């Protein structure tokens, strides 16, 4: 079909259509692009994610925290009939206390990120103007903070049950956040790297079982290869630091070394979890 509109008129309309900003000489000029909003900073973004996760955990995770605490106290009661005292009793109490952290920070966080990935919840976080590290660190910090009451109750109950001194239980101030960081990073990485939600749940359960068997049982009674696996578990060094604090005169240099190793493992595991979040969010 032949157009009845002259080509000159069409060209004129195409040139003059749309908003045009004139210059001082009267000629057309292009509009200036709008300035982008500044990128969100890491610490405020992490604090926002932390508060959101913590408020959600107060409602949804209280029954699970009770289960984790009751489970650890029950293990200590069972071990009371086998272990009388000494280094083995210290290992049982320390391992049971850190087990509360493993149940929440490793197991539940692996399930949370696995479900988030399966349900498309990562797409929501990907649209937010926050750094990927803020999402991982905020969620990990919230889950680790949620374990504080149960860990303290378990440690005090175990100390009374086995007759251990509670003078140096202030070490929990360092053990809880450092062990929580290491186990939270591991749990988040497992949940984000698992191809299916069911597999993320399975990996979280296996990780908690490893923390139970390798953390609660005294290291002297473990066979050689199992002892090597215990050295690779992130929570082992938090357990060792807490167990040494039950001594009458703790070797604080060794305790500080255990805590330093736990902190290094925590940084590494959180870095892996951040990488896993970026990898899962772009798919």
């Amino acid at each position: 079909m032949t157009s009845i509109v002259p080509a000159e008129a069409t060209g004129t309309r195409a040139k003059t259509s749309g908003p045009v900003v004139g210059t001082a000489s009267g000629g057309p000029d292009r509009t200036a692009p709008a300035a982008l909003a500044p990128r969100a900073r890491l610490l405020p973004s992490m604090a926002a994610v932390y508060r959101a996760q913590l408020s959600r955990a107060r409602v949804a995770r209280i029954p699970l925290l009770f289960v984790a605490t009751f489970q650890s106290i029950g293990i200590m009661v069972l071990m009371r009939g086998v272990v009388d005292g000494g280094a083995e009793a210290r290992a049982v109490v320390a391992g049971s206390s850190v087990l509360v952290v493993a149940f929440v920070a490793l197991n539940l966080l692996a399930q949370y990120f696995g479900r988030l990935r399966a349900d498309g919840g990562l797409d929501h976080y990907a649209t937010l103007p926050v750094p990927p590290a803020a999402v991982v660190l905020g969620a990990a910090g919230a889950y680790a903070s949620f374990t504080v009451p149960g860990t303290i109750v378990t440690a005090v109950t175990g100390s009374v049950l086995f007759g251990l001194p509670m003078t140096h239980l202030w070490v929990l101030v360092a053990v809880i956040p450092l062990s929580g960081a290491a186990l939270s990073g591991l749990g988040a990485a497992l949940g984000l790297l698992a191809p299916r939600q069911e597999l993320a749940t399975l990996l979280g359960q296996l990780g908690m079982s490893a923390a139970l068997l390798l953390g609660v049982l005294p290291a002297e009674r473990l066979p050689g290869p199992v002892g090597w696996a215990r050295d690779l578990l992130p929570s082992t060094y938090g357990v060792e630091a807490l167990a040494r604090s039950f001594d009458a005169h703790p070797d604080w240099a060794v305790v500080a070394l255990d805590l330093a190793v736990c902190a290094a493992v925590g940084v590494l595991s959180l870095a892996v979890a951040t990488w896993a979040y970026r990898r899962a969010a772009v798919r």
Side-chain angles (χ1 to χ4, degrees), residues 39-40 45 48-49 52 121-132 134-135 277:
R39 185 177 180 179
S45 303
V49 175
L122 290 181
D123 297 335
H124 166 71
Y125 280 107
T127 59
L128 298 177
V130 296
V135 178
Y277 173 82

Side-chain angles (χ1 to χ4, degrees), residues 63-81 89-105 107 147-159 161-162 183 208-209 211-213 215-217 239 242:
L64 295 175
L65 178 62
F66 175 79
V67 171
T69 306
F70 182 79
Q71 170 186 262
S72 296
I73 293 177
I75 290 172
M76 290 190 300
V77 172
L78 292 176
M79 294 296 293
R80 184 65 181 85
R90 294 192 291 269
V92 169
V93 175
S96 299
S97 301
V98 178
L99 181 62
V100 179
V101 183
F103 182 87
V104 177
N107 182 26
T147 65
V148 172
T151 305
I152 294 176
V153 169
T154 302
V156 172
T157 304
S159 299
L161 188 63
F162 287 90
L183 294 172
M208 188 198 67
S209 299
L212 168 61
L213 296 175
V216 175
L217 295 179
V239 173
L242 181 58

Side-chain angles (χ1 to χ4, degrees), residues 101 105-106 109 140 144 147 174-186 262 270:
V101 183
L106 194 159
L109 196 59
T147 65
V175 171
I176 294 176
L178 294 179
S179 299
L183 294 172
S184 296
L186 179 60
C262 191
L270 289 172

Side-chain angles (χ1 to χ4, degrees), residues 8 27 40 56 62 76 115 123 126 162 179 186 229 231 256 278:
E8 297 177 356
R56 179 179 180 272
I62 288 179
M76 290 190 300
R115 183 176 66 254
D123 297 335
F162 287 90
S179 299
L186 179 60
D231 294 336
R278 289 195 183 100

Side-chain angles (χ1 to χ4, degrees), residues 5-281:
V5 180
E8 297 177 356
T10 305
T12 303
R13 178 175 300 177
K15 292 179 181 179
T16 58
S17 60
V20 177
V21 179
T23 60
S25 59
D29 191 12
R30 295 182 179 179
T31 57
L36 297 177
R39 185 177 180 179
R41 292 177 295 174
L42 175 62
L43 292 181
S45 303
M46 184 179 66
V49 175
Y50 175 84
R51 289 193 298 268
Q53 290 290 339
L54 193 61
S55 62
R56 179 179 180 272
R58 288 174 183 172
V59 179
R61 305 303 181 195
I62 288 179
L64 295 175
L65 178 62
F66 175 79
V67 171
T69 306
F70 182 79
Q71 170 186 262
S72 296
I73 293 177
I75 290 172
M76 290 190 300
V77 172
L78 292 176
M79 294 296 293
R80 184 65 181 85
V82 180
V83 177
D84 294 330
E88 295 181 347
R90 294 192 291 269
V92 169
V93 175
S96 299
S97 301
V98 178
L99 181 62
V100 179
V101 183
F103 182 87
V104 177
L106 194 159
N107 182 26
L108 296 185
L109 196 59
Q111 296 182 31
Y112 170 74
F113 274 108
R115 183 176 66 254
L116 200 67
R117 180 181 179 184
D119 297 342
L122 290 181
D123 297 335
H124 166 71
Y125 280 107
T127 59
L128 298 177
V130 296
V135 178
V136 174
L137 294 176
Y143 275 72
S145 300
F146 192 61
T147 65
V148 172
T151 305
I152 294 176
V153 169
T154 302
V156 172
T157 304
S159 299
V160 174
L161 188 63
F162 287 90
L164 299 177
M166 292 184 283
T167 307
H168 304 121
L169 275 185
W170 54 264
V171 174
L172 287 173
V173 175
V175 171
I176 294 176
L178 294 179
S179 299
L183 294 172
S184 296
L186 179 60
L190 292 177
L192 291 167
L193 294 176
R196 298 176 56 185
Q197 179 181 356
E198 295 80 6
L199 186 57
T201 302
L202 176 62
L203 293 175
Q205 292 284 348
L206 290 176
M208 188 198 67
S209 299
L212 168 61
L213 296 175
L214 302 179
V216 175
L217 295 179
E220 296 78 11
R221 298 191 178 186
L222 298 176
V226 179
W228 300 338
R230 182 177 184 270
D231 294 336
L232 297 176
L233 191 67
S235 60
T236 297
Y237 303 96
V239 173
E240 291 290 339
L242 181 58
R244 297 181 194 278
S245 69
F246 288 118
D247 294 338
H249 302 284
D251 189 345
W252 294 114
V254 180
V255 172
L257 179 61
D258 288 331
L259 293 176
V261 174
C262 191
V265 174
V267 172
L268 179 61
S269 63
L270 289 172
V272 173
T274 303
W275 170 81
Y277 173 82
R278 289 195 183 100
R279 180 176 179 269

